[in-house]
Amino acid sequence: MLEIPESLTIAGQLNETVQGKRIVEVEAAHTPHSFAWYSGEPKFYAEIMEGREIGVSVGIGSMVEIALGSKHSKTRHLKCGVPEAENSPEYSFIAGDGATIRYFAPGEPLPEKYQTRITLEDGSSLVCSIRMYGNMLLERPELFDNPYYLVAKNKPLPNTENFTYSYFSGLFEEAPGTMSMKAFLATQQRIPGLGNGVLQDILLEAGLHPKRKIGSLTEAQRRQVYDSVAGTLRKMIAGGGRDTEKDLFGKTGGYHTLLSQRTVGKPCPYCGTEIQKANYLGGTIYFCPMCQA
């Protein structure tokens, strides 16, 4: 699932690979999927997107936003008789949590099943697929009022200078003391794009159990959580994402997760105790019973 390390990695790869290329063909809803969500009718995606140029891509929380340049659909004449291009409105293609974006080079065979295909002028394609559920939205950014999008756009992310300890400490003050660490870090969009996957290693580094109540933390432990959020995400981003997820080219990330489904039953990297798992708050948590209290 897309979280901060993957959205930033994929956005960077898009900028290096397809930025500036023009879209020549778009197909949406190629393979029916009950939990693939579009902006309106998929049949209109081609009409709006074809002819536009791929702009700058950005990772915002658990989303990747691809700017689409305007296209010159028609001309109008000024009073002086000089023709002027009338630009169409600008749009963005937004892939949300649960969506995967893959790049296919010219001539490379495409998968049989996918939801959206964006073919570019050089014959390469971007293919977007949905796992369990996910969004592939086509929106005008200035009009898009989705709350998850707006929060991700407006809140400081851990990889930015505005994500200070003062700001992070304020999040603690706004939450009830009975809230668990998992709920605090990975729910209600307190930190957009920090989800259950990224959460595991952060809490191991901080030495805190996912069920630990935030009201029991000392000031020093709060600071330790902040340092772990910033430091762990920095390593994940530098590694090109986690080894449990794939990038734009279908390659697994270079950051080796310490706690995930791959490490259950294996020794903790710090103390050697067997890593355990449990179901909690609608998902699976992984933890070391010795290092995390």
Side-chain angles (χ1 to χ4, degrees), residues 105-277:
E108 187 176 358
L110 302 182
E112 291 185 7
K113 294 183 179 181
Y114 58 83
Q115 274 62 59
T116 301
R117 172 180 54 83
I118 303 170
T119 298
L120 307 176
E121 57 189 332
D122 64 351
S124 63
S125 294
L126 296 175
V127 170
C128 193
S129 303
I130 300 300
R131 301 185 193 180
M132 296 184 294
Y133 61 87
N135 299 321
M136 296 164 294
L137 306 178
L138 182 59
E139 299 286 347
R140 294 177 59 181
E142 74 276 13
L143 303 178
F144 191 37
D145 60 358
N146 179 282
Y148 292 96
Y149 175 81
L150 295 176
V151 166
K153 279 279 195 177
N154 295 317
K155 278 194 172 185
L157 298 180
N159 58 307
T160 65
E161 62 180 13
N162 291 329
F163 192 83
T164 62
Y165 178 67
S166 176
Y167 169 79
F168 185 71
S169 184
L171 299 180
F172 276 107
E173 299 303 327
E174 295 169 0
T178 55
M179 180 174 286
S180 70
M181 283 304 308
K182 174 180 175 176
F184 173 72
L185 288 176
T187 66
Q188 299 182 16
Q189 292 290 291
R190 285 182 188 82
I191 306 176
L194 197 164
N196 193 59
V198 168
L199 168 82
Q200 314 295 335
D201 281 17
I202 289 174
L203 289 182
L204 177 61
E205 294 285 353
L208 297 173
H209 195 283
K211 295 183 180 181
R212 177 75 174 266
K213 304 303 181 186
I214 66 171
S216 69
L217 269 58
T218 64
E219 181 65 21
Q221 287 174 318
R222 286 188 180 189
R223 184 80 197 203
Q224 195 169 352
V225 175
Y226 170 76
D227 290 340
S228 182
V229 168
T232 302
L233 284 171
R234 190 181 304 116
K235 288 185 284 188
M236 289 179 173
I237 294 166
R242 296 164 287 158
D243 60 358
T244 55
E245 301 296 329
K246 295 183 179 180
D247 65 9
L248 183 67
F249 307 105
K251 296 180 180 179
T252 55
Y255 173 86
H256 297 291
T257 50
L258 304 178
L259 296 181
S260 70
Q261 60 182 357
R262 298 182 178 183
T263 64
V264 175
K266 295 182 179 180
C268 169
Y270 297 122
C271 72
T273 302
E274 186 177 292
I275 293 171
Q276 299 180 11
K277 73 172 183 177

